Amino acid sequence: MDIKKNKNGTTVDLVVSGRLDTTTAPQLEAVIKEMSQGSKIMNLDLSGIEYMSSTGLRDILLAHKIMGGNGGKLVIKKPSDFVMQVLEATSMDKLLNIEK
């Protein structure tokens, strides 16, 4: 998994690609916790995710919870077809802000 990160003021952009699973999810969790400090908007670009397990879904929910707790928001940008299938199957597409 590869994570590109950029912070501009109170906006964070994370571009994640590869596999988001049990072995890589802890890496994303650490980046989410680090980059959410002082942020109001976190854009999570998942267009390059080819596979996501339930641990990846947990990371997305963690980001949603952290950003909401900060008075901010999480935006899922361009989810891959696989990610969108997982979000729809779990009804998370109704909870999250998703920009296709």
Side-chain angles (χ1 to χ4, degrees), residues 14-84:
L14 300 177
V15 180
V16 187
S17 58
R19 293 177 59 88
L20 182 50
D21 56 24
T22 307
T23 57
T24 59
Q27 179 186 357
L28 179 58
E29 179 179 345
V31 171
I32 288 169
K33 288 179 178 177
E34 170 197 349
M35 299 299 286
S36 64
Q37 299 297 314
S39 299
K40 292 296 177 193
I41 298 173
M42 180 177 286
N43 295 312
L44 190 55
D45 183 326
L46 301 177
S47 59
I49 293 294
E50 54 203 43
Y51 172 80
M52 181 174 74
S53 71
S54 60
T55 54
L57 184 60
R58 187 184 74 76
D59 279 355
I60 293 171
L61 293 174
L62 174 68
H64 177 72
K65 180 180 176 183
I66 290 172
M67 293 308 296
N70 290 348
K73 70 175 182 173
L74 170 71
V75 180
I76 305 298
K77 300 275 192 172
K78 302 179 274 184
S80 67
D81 290 341
F82 189 89
V83 170
M84 202 61 217

